[in-house]
Amino acid sequence: MFRYQLVVLCIAFIVCNSTDNSFCEFKDCYIKAVNRTDKFMTLYIKLYQTPVDNVTANIKLMRNNNGFKPFFLDVTIDACRFLVNQKNKIIREFYFKLYKKYSNMNHTCPYDHDLLFPQLWTRYLEDTLEGFVPLVGGEYALYTTWYSKNIKRASVNIYFSIF
Ligand SMILES: *[C@@H]1O[C@H](CO)[C@@H](O)[C@H](O)[C@H]1NC(C)=O
Ligand SMILES: *[C@@H]1O[C@H](CO)[C@@H](O)[C@H](O)[C@H]1NC(C)=O
Ligand SMILES: *[C@@H]1O[C@H](CO)[C@@H](O)[C@H](O)[C@H]1NC(C)=O
């Protein structure tokens, strides 16, 4: 099938950071290209204070305009509750398209095991992002910051471009 694309959204790299090593550590955080067209992302997060049943996530879209600045989307969710009751449309998309299929976080809290995204094809993430990012050319990032019991524990930032 010929797919005519006016816009290309392309994930460039990912940066993971544990801000509390007694809570969690990243064993893996990378994007690997298998060939010229296909890449996948691998995340492996070790949890040291299980069971985890209180998680808040802030998800912020950033656009590079002399430095990355908030752009269009800034939501904070109760990550434990959204798995039960996905009200936010964007979050619901992410959950059903990505989490459920590509991670072992496909059940409700508590989490009493390490968190794994063994092989998330970036194309699926790109398609999901295309669904809600205003498709204006430029450099972007999706900043996700993870809290448990109101303490910042980790961040995962995904950088991408729109041509
Ligand atoms: C790239 O790799 C993917 C996954 O293995 C495969 O489905 C696809 O056909 C490959 N593309 C090319 C151009 O070789
Ligand atoms: C969750 O993912 C695991 C591992 O991929 C799988 O074995 C299990 O069936 C999935 N559970 C649900 C409810 O989708
Ligand atoms: C999570 O923990 C914080 C801080 O202890 C608390 O204020 C909040 O009510 C908790 N959230 C839930 C859903 O239990």
Side-chain angles (χ1 to χ4, degrees):
M1 194 178 82
F2 184 70
R3 189 168 166 214
Y4 189 71
Q5 264 187 326
L6 289 168
V7 170
V8 177
L9 188 155
C10 184
I11 291 177
F13 60 97
I14 179 170
V15 177
C16 302
N17 189 18
S18 166
T19 44
D20 180 355
N21 284 327
S22 71
F23 186 83
C24 66
E25 271 185 306
F26 289 91
K27 290 293 166 195
D28 283 317
C29 169
Y30 61 85
I31 291 176
K32 184 178 163 68
V34 296
N35 55 33
R36 285 167 63 110
T37 54
D38 288 70
K39 295 183 276 192
F40 64 79
M41 187 184 288
T42 297
L43 289 182
Y44 177 5
I45 303 142
K46 281 195 89 66
L47 293 181
Y48 295 123
Q49 291 177 30
T50 57
V52 173
D53 63 358
N54 182 311
V55 185
T56 313
N58 176 250
I59 298 168
K60 210 182 284 193
L61 180 65
M62 311 291 285
R63 184 162 194 256
N64 192 355
N65 175 16
N66 295 315
F68 282 95
K69 293 175 186 145
F71 182 71
F72 177 68
L73 173 78
D74 184 345
V75 286
T76 298
I77 54 157
D78 179 335
C80 278
R81 205 165 293 165
F82 92 75
L83 298 176
V84 182
N85 182 13
Q86 298 99 27
K87 281 216 178 98
N88 186 297
K89 182 178 167 289
I90 290 167
I91 300 306
R92 208 163 54 219
E93 285 275 291
F94 268 101
Y95 177 63
F96 284 115
K97 285 201 184 144
L98 303 174
Y99 267 59
K100 214 172 153 67
K101 268 197 212 149
Y102 295 101
S103 83
N104 66 349
M105 297 166 70
N106 56 2
H107 59 82
T108 51
C109 290
Y111 291 114
D112 57 1
H113 53 74
D114 293 341
L115 307 177
L116 273 166
F117 283 84
Q119 195 175 68
L120 167 56
W121 294 95
T122 56
R123 177 166 304 165
Y124 294 104
L125 183 52
E126 287 162 353
D127 287 349
T128 307
L129 285 168
E130 273 182 14
F132 70 83
V133 171
L135 295 171
V136 180
E139 287 174 21
Y140 293 83
L142 196 67
Y143 283 8
T144 73
T145 311
W146 299 83
Y147 300 82
S148 181
K149 298 188 172 150
N150 290 344
I151 299 168
K152 183 176 167 182
R153 312 290 186 164
S155 63
V156 176
N157 295 346
I158 298 166
Y159 292 85
F160 59 99
S161 300
I162 293 175
F163 305 97

